[in-house]
Amino acid sequence: MDARHSLPWLTPPEPDASPCAGLTFALYIDADNQPAHHAATLLDLLQEGFGGQVKQITVAGNEKGNKNAVWVEALHTQHPDLAIQSVVVPCRPNAADIALMLALGADLSEHRRCGTRVVVVSRDALLLDAAEQVKDSGIHLYVAYADSEIPTAKRTKLTTFLLPMAVETAKALPIPVAVPASAPPKAPAQTPISSEIVKVMAQVRSTCTRQPKGGYSSNEVGQALAKLGYSTPAERKQILAQFPNLQVQGQGPDRCLVF
């Protein structure tokens, strides 16, 4: 279903005469899309920066990598009393997005009654489309996601909190070893392709649109890998490095990966 189509639960009801007191927030976190080390930054922004209270949190993610549990632990490390609902979904495209949309739809009436501010923690296009409709319905809604090398289309309707990009630990370069002149050069060993890499490549190809000149949009590939559980730039870079005969063509928005 196109998230831009009209959804019945977005119809504003009559305003309640007794709104809840205080500034409160409800978080809807896409664990497949955003890493858990942003938990402290998010809570500090909302509770210390805005002086609000995080009333409820819904975390959705697939079964791979136990990301939901990592998010829940990171949030409870900051505030042990937070009310968190964890929704584990099958490892399928958009499964976490749809779970969050359903959870948000079920909560809209209460958010509207109490004036709760909604924060959607994701950069997935499907979820951002739904977020625009929720905001248009009268809900105070914000988006938060980490800075990344993967471009995200600007949403002029959505106030966005850009979280700091994770700093990758620099890897030490190997010390070169001199080869004796008498030693004949050895042919590089051929590393067999693992079944996991073959499966990931097939899933990315089935998710992304093949470009007219060959290859797949770098942006689409990044989003596809994020949905498969490779949520950080370092994880995506590592898995792409294992794609055999990977070639990069073009620059900027025209950048394509051929594999």
Side-chain angles (χ1 to χ4, degrees), residues 66-216:
N66 216 21
K67 299 183 188 66
N68 282 29
V70 176
W71 260 106
V72 171
E73 181 181 0
L75 291 163
H76 276 159
T77 297
Q78 302 300 318
H79 293 278
D81 298 330
L82 287 173
I84 304 175
Q85 178 187 17
S86 176
V87 182
V88 179
V89 299
C91 191
R92 298 172 184 168
N94 300 325
D97 297 346
I98 294 171
L100 290 174
M101 290 165 62
L102 292 173
L104 177 55
D107 297 337
L108 276 186
S109 178
E110 180 68 10
H111 292 339
R112 189 177 285 108
R113 186 182 73 83
C114 291
T116 303
R117 269 62 172 169
V118 171
V119 182
V120 174
V121 185
S122 178
R123 58 190 291 138
D124 274 349
L126 180 63
L127 201 49
L128 296 185
D129 288 343
E132 288 186 339
Q133 289 199 59
V134 171
K135 184 172 183 180
D136 288 343
S137 75
I139 294 290
H140 294 284
L141 183 142
Y142 312 98
V143 170
Y145 53 72
D147 194 9
S148 170
E149 80 283 359
I150 300 175
T152 298
K154 294 181 179 180
R155 302 300 178 100
T156 56
K157 293 183 179 181
L158 299 176
T159 300
T160 302
F161 303 134
L162 189 62
L163 306 175
M165 181 186 296
V167 178
E168 299 181 25
T169 304
K171 297 181 180 179
L173 295 176
I175 300 175
V177 178
V179 180
S182 58
K186 296 182 179 180
Q190 296 295 322
T191 303
I193 306 173
S194 69
S195 58
E196 179 187 359
I197 298 301
V198 173
K199 182 179 179 181
V200 170
M201 291 174 65
Q203 290 175 312
V204 171
R205 284 170 176 154
S206 66
T207 303
C208 301
T209 303
R210 186 172 177 83
Q211 301 299 303
K213 296 183 179 180
Y216 305 90

Side-chain angles (χ1 to χ4, degrees), residues 203-235:
Q203 290 175 312
V204 171
R205 284 170 176 154
S206 66
T207 303
C208 301
T209 303
R210 186 172 177 83
Q211 301 299 303
K213 296 183 179 180
Y216 305 90
S217 164
S218 177
N219 183 21
E220 273 199 295
V221 171
Q223 293 188 18
L225 289 174
K227 291 178 183 296
L228 291 175
Y230 303 96
S231 55
T232 67
E235 290 175 333

